[in-house]
Amino acid sequence: MNLTDATHDPKLRSWVESANAADTDFPIQNLPYGRFRRAKTDEPWRIGVAIGDQILDLKLAAEQCPWGDGVPELLRPLSDGDLNTFMALGLDARKRLREALSTALAEGSDQGPFLELCLLPQDQAQMALPCAIGDYTDFYTGIHHATAVGKLFRPDNPLLPNYKWVPIGYHGRVSSIGVSGQQVKRPMGQTAPAAGDTTPAFGPCKRLDYELELGILVGTGNELGSPKTMEQAETDWFGLVLLNDWSARDIQAWEYQPLGPFLSKNFATTISPWVVTREALLPYRVPFAHPSGEPQPLPYLNAALDAAAGAMDITLEVWLQTAQMGAPQKLMQSNFRDSWWTVAQLLTHHTAGGCNLQPGDLLGSGTQSGPAPGQGGSLLELTNGGKAPLTLSTGETRTFLQDGDTVILRAVCSGPGKARIGLGEARGTIVG
Amino acid sequence: MNLTDATHDPKLRSWVESANAADTDFPIQNLPYGRFRRAKTDEPWRIGVAIGDQILDLKLAAEQCPWGDGVPELLRPLSDGDLNTFMALGLDARKRLREALSTALAEGSDQGPFLELCLLPQDQAQMALPCAIGDYTDFYTGIHHATAVGKLFRPDNPLLPNYKWVPIGYHGRVSSIGVSGQQVKRPMGQTAPAAGDTTPAFGPCKRLDYELELGILVGTGNELGSPKTMEQAETDWFGLVLLNDWSARDIQAWEYQPLGPFLSKNFATTISPWVVTREALLPYRVPFAHPSGEPQPLPYLNAALDAAAGAMDITLEVWLQTAQMGAPQKLMQSNFRDSWWTVAQLLTHHTAGGCNLQPGDLLGSGTQSGPAPGQGGSLLELTNGGKAPLTLSTGETRTFLQDGDTVILRAVCSGPGKARIGLGEARGTIVG
């Protein structure tokens, strides 16, 4: 199975010089979409494509550059700042525009002189959520996370019997999703009665945490009552962002039974601004299988379809910058290939009972922890439930987040003979 | 505390004759808002007010009738089919328009001759969801339901320790919310392995159920990070609808731990089309208190504010019509005054951690069961978990819903010396 085409060629270079740097997240092989405007203005939001340290403004590009047949129609909703309409168009549209942009941004392109006038440096832009998000679902595909957290909440019963069979998920809050740079106010909330007491406490969260996740943005939706097949699901997702599922552990522990997390999660969720498309990630698809001896996916989650290349090799990282630090410090690293379910399985399961997905819907992957103890995707895991504080480079210690702490999620794909594909970052700061 | 004004006067009559019938849900004292268009057309949706068996078309009313100062401005978003903008305006705007509509629709009004031309019979209209719903949260305020269901899911531990302290809630799915008349396709899903088996089953839901709830629509929202006080919450909700939280019990039992219900709920939710405003319900406010000896609400849920009139006396009913029945049969009746939390407490709790509510957001009350065994708000309760089938008037039996069954939720407020205020109905039919 050859998943890649000329747009993935690692030798391809852009006339945008910064896109050719070895360490850029946004080489010409990436071409992620975002919604931006010039900083410190209240101009209408526009859709752009990140290229090196620049943004190609698709409104200007549509107006000022000649394009091949059919491309202006694809650019039209994007010119209006509307990513959702484009997302709904599906795989062929995504591929056609990817090819057109790749050609136009490639070294030696005839379109270069027109498009040079359509660039804005990223450091002069303000970013918004990339699309309108109708519904947000958070999954729980990180089996190492589920096991580690399960041990803390239910020492006798860490991984529930359904975990290996059901892609566990729950609905999240859309209104409080923000883009990288979000200032997250420490939530107030109820916590369990102290030992010997019968009345719960109410006050500022004392166990404030992050969760390292990927966010999947839905491209093509489905009608209510018409589930997606795995084949459809495989191409119906649009792309990935980073997602920080901020969590108030003390509030969560008291409220979450029997209906799941609520206020412990809905005070904020932060995503990265650039949507890296499914197509940009194709070179990093890897085989998927549940280990032999483990439960195999039921037929509707058709594992055979995913066997060759259902998983993705994406390195994920959490960085922390306290108010005292001059630069952020890396806390951990994991890989999305350890996810217990594939993206196609998540979409398929979500619709299996008839639920309709819509373009722009957001699915969180769940916390992506690695198998080793130092690979926890949350402080809850890295500090063993707050019992083993981390000592930072400054000599400070942390069990949970303090006011002024900035959490930075990063993700990158790289490997021999392949272009580096980065997801940028999702950054958020705790304020008291 | 006098909550009522001239618009609540039970002696008030309308020149719309059907609004004066003793059994109408929509007398001149009600004036609920809905979104409609003429049946079998694809005209743009408009906002109207139900009056008797008619709809007052607010677009025509704005254009064709003289109004007092300030009223045309209030009607403008409604003329555009946009209830949300009006919802955001808050209590004063709601009261002013209520007074203006009450005056205009009253017997002897000078505006009658103009407004007669702005009526459409309800049976010639098609209804839509009344507003754009950004987020949907489902609470769990029915303590008799929580206890009865808890017994079935956790016989040794029916009511968890947090229940009486925390207004338990979780996020629901917006995309699958439909309006009365919804055809609900029986969901497929995973269910627990049969006894002696290790592999879960996948197939059509065998324990399909309804849940009798009220839906609260948010009027004025709040900024992220800025919780509402109880005083704000009391006036910041816009109105009520009926809400059927369709539930697949077998799927729910297998999937719901540890993160709550997901596919067992998100295949459909049905609400009634007419939003009965907070102001229309004021004559039915009644005292609120947790029984003495029970946990009292924490200070942020200020029970003192609710003591005099925080609860609402609303009679709720479930009716069932099987394919064999000529007319629906009443299954049970309960009352919203038995809710463990008030509407103001739900809004306050929802925002206590900083979560932002937005105009048009929907909050389900949770299933409203009464204290007696025959007052269960779901079949799960009425049939003791499917072990005690109901025998219907036709001689048919039911444990859970069969294809072709229509479930009808109704709610009405009535009492001596008060105008009857109905919520209409939320009707849905199971299709295979």
Side-chain angles (χ1 to χ4, degrees):
Chain A
M1 180 161 41
N2 186 9
L3 298 172
T4 59
D5 59 35
T7 65
H8 301 103
D9 182 350
K11 295 190 292 296
L12 203 61
R13 291 173 58 88
S14 175
W15 51 261
V16 179
E17 200 43 53
S18 61
N20 304 319
D23 63 348
T24 183
D25 275 355
F26 308 124
I28 190 170
Q29 293 84 357
N30 193 342
L31 304 173
Y33 296 93
R35 202 148 57 109
F36 76 101
R37 63 184 177 198
R38 287 188 299 140
K40 297 174 190 163
T41 72
D42 55 1
E43 296 171 351
W45 297 100
R46 305 174 167 202
I47 304 297
V49 167
I51 178 80
D53 61 9
Q54 303 289 309
I55 300 172
L56 178 66
D57 179 331
L58 292 185
K59 181 175 170 65
L60 293 180
E63 290 165 359
Q64 303 190 3
C65 179
W67 294 96
D69 278 357
V71 177
E73 289 71 21
L74 298 177
L75 288 172
R76 192 163 300 137
L78 302 171
S79 291
D80 295 336
D82 170 14
L83 189 57
N84 297 67
T85 298
F86 177 70
M87 295 169 107
L89 296 178
L91 177 63
D92 286 349
R94 292 201 303 273
K95 286 180 70 170
R96 286 185 63 186
L97 192 53
R98 177 177 170 82
E99 283 160 16
L101 291 169
S102 178
T103 302
L105 289 166
E107 225 168 39
S109 163
D110 293 346
Q111 290 157 288
F114 300 97
L115 293 181
E116 274 179 6
L117 308 172
C118 308
L119 296 178
L120 180 73
Q122 285 167 29
D123 62 11
Q124 293 176 28
Q126 174 184 2
M127 303 301 296
L129 291 176
C131 60
I133 300 169
D135 276 292
Y136 161 44
T137 297
D138 197 22
F139 281 100
Y140 198 51
T141 74
I143 192 166
H144 304 298
H145 170 75
T147 306
V149 171
K151 271 185 194 148
L152 296 169
F153 279 73
R154 295 173 302 278
D156 49 336
N157 196 16
L159 211 54
L160 296 168
N162 57 10
Y163 184 86
K164 292 182 178 174
W165 296 102
V166 181
I168 298 289
Y170 65 109
H171 300 111
R173 181 81 193 174
V174 173
S175 69
S176 53
I177 300 172
V179 75
S180 184
Q182 193 170 17
Q183 302 289 300
V184 176
K185 193 160 174 193
R186 179 180 297 273
M188 306 282 284
Q190 271 196 50
T191 49
D197 204 349
T198 55
T199 303
F202 183 83
C205 171
K206 292 180 179 141
R207 290 162 69 91
L208 187 53
D209 204 354
Y210 56 80
E211 289 193 338
L212 168 62
E213 303 195 18
L214 288 171
I216 301 139
L217 286 162
V218 173
T220 315
N222 60 297
E223 293 297 315
L224 188 61
S226 298
K228 285 184 191 293
T229 63
M230 278 287 287
E231 286 79 1
Q232 290 166 334
E234 170 51 48
T235 56
D236 283 355
W237 62 280
F238 183 81
L240 298 186
V241 291
L242 286 154
L243 186 151
N244 186 338
D245 177 26
W246 303 97
S247 298
R249 300 299 179 192
D250 42 357
I251 299 170
Q252 185 176 358
W254 175 233
E255 75 169 3
Y256 90 105
Q257 286 190 314
L259 299 180
F262 180 42
L263 299 195
S264 55
K265 300 280 195 172
N266 71 10
F267 59 93
T269 302
T270 305
I271 67 173
S272 56
W274 294 107
V275 189
V276 175
T277 62
R278 171 188 173 276
E279 288 65 48
L281 295 162
L282 285 173
Y284 293 96
R285 299 296 283 265
V286 290
F288 166 80
H290 286 172
S292 67
E294 294 285 8
Q296 296 304 306
L298 294 185
Y300 78 104
L301 299 174
N302 190 348
L305 193 78
D306 275 335
M312 280 183 272
D313 176 11
I314 306 176
T315 299
L316 305 165
E317 297 172 349
V318 177
W319 296 66
L320 175 68
Q321 182 164 11
T322 70
Q324 294 185 30
M325 285 181 186
Q329 171 181 349
K330 184 169 156 182
L331 295 187
M332 61 73 73
Q333 180 174 311
S334 64
N335 195 300
F336 187 50
R337 65 188 300 166
D338 289 333
S339 167
W340 188 252
W341 301 105
T342 68
V343 170
Q345 286 171 332
L346 299 185
L347 269 77
T348 302
H349 181 71
H350 204 314
T351 66
C355 180
N356 53 331
L357 295 175
Q358 301 184 112
D361 282 350
L362 176 64
L363 315 184
S365 65
T367 308
Q368 300 299 311
S369 303
Q375 290 189 294
S378 65
L379 285 174
L380 186 71
E381 292 157 88
L382 291 181
T383 69
N384 191 24
K387 293 193 285 288
L390 293 182
T391 301
L392 305 175
S393 59
T394 48
E396 301 171 274
T397 60
R398 284 291 181 279
T399 48
F400 292 97
L401 295 170
Q402 295 192 5
D403 295 349
D405 285 355
T406 296
V407 177
I408 305 150
L409 309 186
R410 293 180 181 156
V412 71
C413 305
S414 65
K418 299 177 187 176
R420 185 180 193 274
I421 301 291
L423 272 76
E425 61 181 39
R427 175 184 288 257
T429 302
I430 305 301
V431 296
Chain B
M1 180 160 45
N2 186 10
L3 298 172
T4 60
D5 60 34
T7 64
H8 302 102
D9 182 350
K11 294 190 293 294
L12 202 62
R13 290 172 60 87
S14 176
W15 52 261
V16 179
E17 200 43 55
S18 61
N20 304 318
D23 64 348
T24 184
D25 275 356
F26 307 124
I28 190 170
Q29 293 83 359
N30 193 342
L31 304 174
Y33 296 92
R35 202 149 57 109
F36 77 102
R37 63 185 176 196
R38 287 187 300 140
K40 296 174 189 162
T41 72
D42 55 1
E43 295 171 350
W45 298 100
R46 305 176 167 201
I47 304 297
V49 168
I51 178 80
D53 60 10
Q54 304 289 309
I55 300 173
L56 178 66
D57 180 331
L58 293 185
K59 181 174 170 65
L60 293 181
E63 290 165 0
Q64 303 191 1
C65 179
W67 293 97
D69 277 358
V71 176
E73 289 71 22
L74 298 176
L75 288 172
R76 193 162 300 137
L78 301 172
S79 291
D80 294 336
D82 171 13
L83 189 57
N84 296 66
T85 297
F86 177 70
M87 295 169 107
L89 296 179
L91 177 63
D92 286 348
R94 293 202 303 272
K95 286 179 70 171
R96 286 184 63 185
L97 191 54
R98 176 176 171 82
E99 283 159 16
L101 291 168
S102 178
T103 301
L105 289 166
E107 224 168 40
S109 162
D110 293 347
Q111 291 157 287
F114 298 97
L115 294 181
E116 274 178 7
L117 308 173
C118 307
L119 296 178
L120 181 73
Q122 284 168 31
D123 61 12
Q124 293 176 28
Q126 176 184 0
M127 302 301 298
L129 292 176
C131 59
I133 300 170
D135 275 294
Y136 161 44
T137 297
D138 197 21
F139 281 98
Y140 198 51
T141 74
I143 192 167
H144 305 298
H145 170 74
T147 305
V149 171
K151 271 184 194 149
L152 296 168
F153 279 73
R154 296 173 303 277
D156 50 336
N157 197 15
L159 211 53
L160 295 169
N162 57 10
Y163 185 86
K164 291 182 178 174
W165 295 103
V166 181
I168 297 290
Y170 65 110
H171 299 112
R173 181 80 193 175
V174 173
S175 69
S176 54
I177 300 172
V179 75
S180 184
Q182 194 171 16
Q183 303 288 301
V184 176
K185 193 159 173 192
R186 180 179 298 273
M188 305 283 284
Q190 270 196 50
T191 49
D197 203 349
T198 56
T199 302
F202 182 82
C205 171
K206 292 180 179 144
R207 290 162 68 92
L208 187 53
D209 203 354
Y210 56 80
E211 289 192 338
L212 168 63
E213 302 195 19
L214 288 171
I216 301 140
L217 286 162
V218 173
T220 315
N222 61 296
E223 293 297 316
L224 188 60
S226 298
K228 285 183 191 292
T229 63
M230 277 287 288
E231 286 78 2
Q232 290 166 335
E234 170 51 49
T235 55
D236 282 355
W237 61 280
F238 183 81
L240 298 186
V241 291
L242 286 154
L243 186 153
N244 186 339
D245 177 27
W246 302 96
S247 298
R249 300 299 179 192
D250 42 357
I251 298 170
Q252 184 176 357
W254 176 233
E255 76 170 1
Y256 90 106
Q257 285 190 315
L259 299 180
F262 179 43
L263 299 194
S264 55
K265 300 280 193 172
N266 70 10
F267 58 93
T269 303
T270 304
I271 67 173
S272 55
W274 295 106
V275 190
V276 174
T277 62
R278 171 188 173 275
E279 288 66 48
L281 295 163
L282 285 174
Y284 293 95
R285 300 297 283 265
V286 291
F288 166 80
H290 286 171
S292 67
E294 293 284 9
Q296 297 303 307
L298 293 185
Y300 77 104
L301 298 173
N302 190 347
L305 193 79
D306 275 336
M312 280 182 273
D313 175 13
I314 305 176
T315 300
L316 305 165
E317 297 173 350
V318 177
W319 296 66
L320 175 68
Q321 182 164 11
T322 70
Q324 293 185 32
M325 285 182 186
Q329 171 181 349
K330 185 168 155 183
L331 294 188
M332 62 72 74
Q333 179 175 311
S334 64
N335 195 301
F336 188 50
R337 64 189 301 166
D338 289 333
S339 167
W340 188 252
W341 301 106
T342 68
V343 170
Q345 286 170 332
L346 298 184
L347 268 76
T348 302
H349 180 71
H350 204 314
T351 65
C355 180
N356 53 332
L357 295 175
Q358 300 185 113
D361 282 351
L362 177 64
L363 316 184
S365 65
T367 308
Q368 300 298 310
S369 303
Q375 290 189 293
S378 65
L379 285 174
L380 186 72
E381 292 157 87
L382 291 180
T383 69
N384 191 23
K387 293 193 286 287
L390 293 182
T391 301
L392 305 175
S393 58
T394 47
E396 300 171 273
T397 59
R398 283 292 179 279
T399 48
F400 292 98
L401 295 170
Q402 295 192 6
D403 294 350
D405 286 355
T406 296
V407 177
I408 305 150
L409 310 186
R410 292 179 181 157
V412 70
C413 305
S414 65
K418 298 177 188 175
R420 183 180 194 275
I421 300 291
L423 271 76
E425 61 180 39
R427 176 185 289 258
T429 301
I430 305 301
V431 296

